[in-house]
Amino acid sequence: MRHKIKLAAFFLAGTMILGGCSQGGQEVEKARIQTGESQKSSQDTKTKGGVGTASQTENGGEKTVIRFENHGANKHELFAEAVQIFNESQEQVYVDFQTNTQDWEASLWAALAVDDAPDIITHIAQARIPQYAEAGHLMDLTSMGCAAFIDGGAREPVSYKGGLYAIPVQTEIYGVFYNKDLFEKAGITEVPRTLSQLEEVVEALKPLEEEGIYPFSAQYRDSGQLSFYMTYGGAASLYKSVAEQGQTLEGVAEGTYTFENSRVKDIFRLYNIVGENCQPKPEDTDYTTHNTLFAAGESAMLIMGNWTIAQIRELNPEINIGMFALPVSEDPEDAVFAEDYNLVINVNAHTKNKEAVDEFLSFFCDYQKPTKEFFIKNALPSGLKNFEQVVTYDPALKAPLEAESTSEYFTRILPNGFDPGKSIQEYMLDPDMTIDEAASLLQKNYTTHIENMKK
């Protein structure tokens, strides 16, 4: 029976969310510029005082202050360390760094409206670039020195109408992590590529439940992470469904697509397979916990992106893991790794300190500088030049890095602000809802979102 409960019970519990594009945070201390102290962590805070202010240096001179706001908690410490290295390297520019994860996009738009937004921000990736660029809020980086560090092949995803609007810091790859030792113990010799093959793998792993080891780690508390099974892992299949409906990619954002199709329903079947074969009470499990269960060897598979590798390795450095593309149908060609530049750095078009911003970003992207430690510790593919010269990739990424083809995230063509995860979460928490009803609910919420956008 699926691990699903009634929706009402879910909302009795509080939520802790952390992830590659997800949320989380804690109270933090802002760095004190006047005394020249090292940069401190500043997470879930907002710094007031306009874009491009100045502060006194230790020797009495003025230091240009630029504000850098990160919108992904899982990179907070790495960015903070890189910022500290830069701040201690010179006396002319000070980067005031913070991570804001509480309704960050709404607060960003509000700050832009009153010219109080940070000089540098993260996560305005390809799907959102047109909206921000058309509104005049993103700086074209083409003429800036930092643009020289961007790899030629990575420019197109962060470009719009001839302008270059982001530095592609990290390539996110989405698929299934699996514990090779547990697969071997269960007698599994090949990774699955279809849903039927996935079910066979699950059956082979089921005897391990007597030892407290489940086929999957799963969590239902973060609707965004739930939606990634479909919009990331199932992206290749969903793009095919657009063509099968005779639609254009632009039409999906305009509301002409229908989620009531066989490919979407196959992906809901995937949700069932996971829900029926995971640890108890996934509705009470959050992002961090389900990563921890996998790292501890209490589950054999984890559907997740490469951004979680650092956490897994920190918890269990010796875990023997690999990665395979998520099966989403009975066609093995639909099992494709999803890959996108989803962690990017953008510059506020209204910054009054373009030169100082360029100085920091050029320092950050230069592998000859100490900030290269950001990329070494991150150990994930980047859209910057010569990345392989400083990074040794985690062996778990061997399969996706060698894949002949990958798929872009389906989220990039969805209507702005539309979250399929809400409908998926409702399905996972309602044991009486059928797959057909789930597809209808998703379609209804999609249509309603489009109608609300037109008002």
Side-chain angles (χ1 to χ4, degrees):
M1 183 175 184
R2 280 185 288 169
H3 284 303
K4 304 210 296 178
I5 62 172
K6 288 294 184 180
L7 187 61
F10 169 76
F11 293 104
L12 296 176
T15 303
M16 170 182 158
I17 306 173
L18 285 171
C21 304
S22 58
Q23 299 181 346
Q26 60 188 31
E27 288 301 318
V28 294
E29 177 185 0
K30 179 183 173 183
R32 288 182 289 170
I33 303 170
Q34 299 256 356
T35 60
E37 288 189 8
S38 297
Q39 177 78 24
K40 306 293 184 183
S41 295
S42 54
Q43 186 169 313
D44 278 349
T45 62
K46 295 291 291 180
T47 306
K48 300 299 180 184
V51 179
T53 56
S55 179
Q56 296 293 318
T57 63
E58 289 180 308
N59 58 18
E62 277 201 342
K63 181 180 291 190
T64 301
V65 179
I66 56 177
R67 289 162 51 200
F68 177 11
E69 184 171 287
N70 172 46
H71 299 138
N74 63 319
K75 292 293 180 290
H76 173 78
E77 296 300 332
L78 290 175
F79 271 127
E81 182 178 351
V83 167
Q84 180 175 332
I85 290 170
F86 173 78
N87 284 340
E88 294 176 348
S89 72
Q90 41 72 53
E91 287 295 322
Q92 289 72 46
V93 179
Y94 183 88
V95 180
D96 181 11
F97 174 73
Q98 59 187 301
T99 288
N100 176 26
T101 61
Q102 297 179 348
D103 298 323
W104 68 265
E105 195 157 19
S107 64
L108 176 59
W109 278 102
L112 287 167
V114 295
D115 197 20
D116 189 36
D119 302 87
I120 305 171
I121 53 180
T122 64
H123 280 95
I124 308 301
Q126 182 170 5
R128 293 187 175 101
I129 282 175
Q131 180 186 13
Y132 283 84
E134 291 288 354
H137 294 317
L138 291 186
M139 180 169 288
D140 183 354
L141 309 180
T142 303
S143 63
M144 295 176 66
C146 57
F149 294 92
I150 303 176
D151 185 77
R155 286 176 170 256
E156 189 277 330
V158 293
S159 297
Y160 178 67
K161 292 186 176 179
L164 184 67
Y165 291 103
I167 296 175
V169 176
Q170 176 183 304
T171 304
E172 293 185 349
I173 302 172
Y174 196 81
V176 185
F177 288 109
Y178 71 104
N179 187 313
K180 291 184 176 182
D181 293 337
L182 292 179
F183 267 46
E184 182 178 356
K185 185 175 182 178
I188 302 167
T189 58
E190 293 184 7
V191 297
R193 296 194 64 197
T194 68
L195 290 176
S196 292
Q197 291 172 358
L198 183 61
E199 289 174 325
E200 292 173 1
V201 165
V202 166
E203 286 304 309
L205 291 166
K206 292 287 279 186
L208 299 182
E209 290 188 18
E210 295 180 0
E211 303 175 36
I213 301 170
Y214 293 85
F216 288 98
S217 287
Q219 67 84 33
Y220 302 167
R221 291 180 65 176
D222 182 346
S223 64
Q225 293 290 334
L226 265 181
S227 73
F228 293 165
Y229 290 22
M230 180 175 291
T231 58
Y232 288 13
S237 183
L238 292 184
Y239 277 115
K240 291 177 183 178
S241 72
V242 175
E244 290 165 357
Q245 292 178 28
Q247 302 289 339
T248 63
L249 300 184
E250 292 77 14
V252 176
E254 296 167 358
T256 61
Y257 181 74
T258 176
F259 284 91
E260 295 182 272
N261 65 72
S262 61
R263 292 184 178 277
V264 167
K265 293 177 182 179
D266 275 342
I267 298 173
F268 274 113
R269 181 182 158 200
L270 165 68
Y271 282 107
N272 288 352
I273 295 172
V274 175
E276 293 166 0
N277 300 283
C278 65
Q279 83 286 351
K281 297 185 178 181
E283 67 278 358
D284 293 333
T285 303
D286 58 32
Y287 168 86
T288 299
T289 303
H290 95 306
N291 290 347
T292 302
L293 290 172
F294 178 75
E298 295 178 28
S299 70
M301 291 179 284
L302 176 71
I303 304 174
M304 186 48 62
N306 58 354
W307 57 82
T308 198
I309 287 180
Q311 183 182 27
I312 293 172
R313 292 297 185 195
E314 182 178 358
L315 293 168
N316 187 354
E318 302 304 319
I319 187 170
N320 184 19
I321 56 175
M323 200 174 188
F324 61 85
L326 183 63
V328 292
S329 72
E330 291 304 330
D331 184 352
E333 298 302 317
D334 290 338
V336 177
F337 288 106
E339 180 178 305
D340 230 317
Y341 295 111
N342 220 34
L343 175 59
V344 301
I345 295 178
N346 317 90
V347 177
N348 182 351
H350 311 294
T351 180
K352 299 175 179 63
N353 291 298
K354 179 179 178 180
E355 292 78 12
V357 167
D358 197 12
E359 182 179 348
F360 166 67
L361 293 179
S362 296
F363 185 96
F364 176 79
C365 296
D366 189 348
Y367 296 128
Q368 303 306 311
K369 301 292 192 299
T371 46
K372 69 182 180 182
E373 291 298 319
F374 172 93
F375 302 97
I376 293 173
K377 291 178 180 179
N378 212 30
L380 301 176
S382 175
L384 303 180
K385 293 178 180 178
N386 304 320
F387 187 70
E388 294 79 4
Q389 294 180 9
V390 298
V391 169
T392 300
Y393 293 124
D394 191 286
L397 296 179
K398 184 176 187 297
L401 290 173
E402 293 179 353
E404 293 183 1
S405 63
T406 58
S407 174
E408 297 176 341
Y409 292 170
F410 195 72
T411 47
R412 67 170 51 200
I413 65 170
L414 289 174
N416 187 51
F418 175 60
D419 178 15
K422 298 297 184 183
S423 305
I424 296 167
Q425 185 183 62
E426 188 170 342
Y427 171 68
M428 298 303 285
L429 297 171
D430 184 347
D432 299 323
M433 189 182 298
T434 67
I435 285 179
D436 286 344
E437 290 171 339
S440 295
L441 175 64
L442 185 54
Q443 180 63 34
K444 176 184 176 182
N445 290 340
Y446 168 69
T447 302
T448 299
H449 183 83
I450 294 294
E451 291 173 348
N452 290 337
M453 288 179 64
K454 295 178 179 178
K455 292 180 180 179

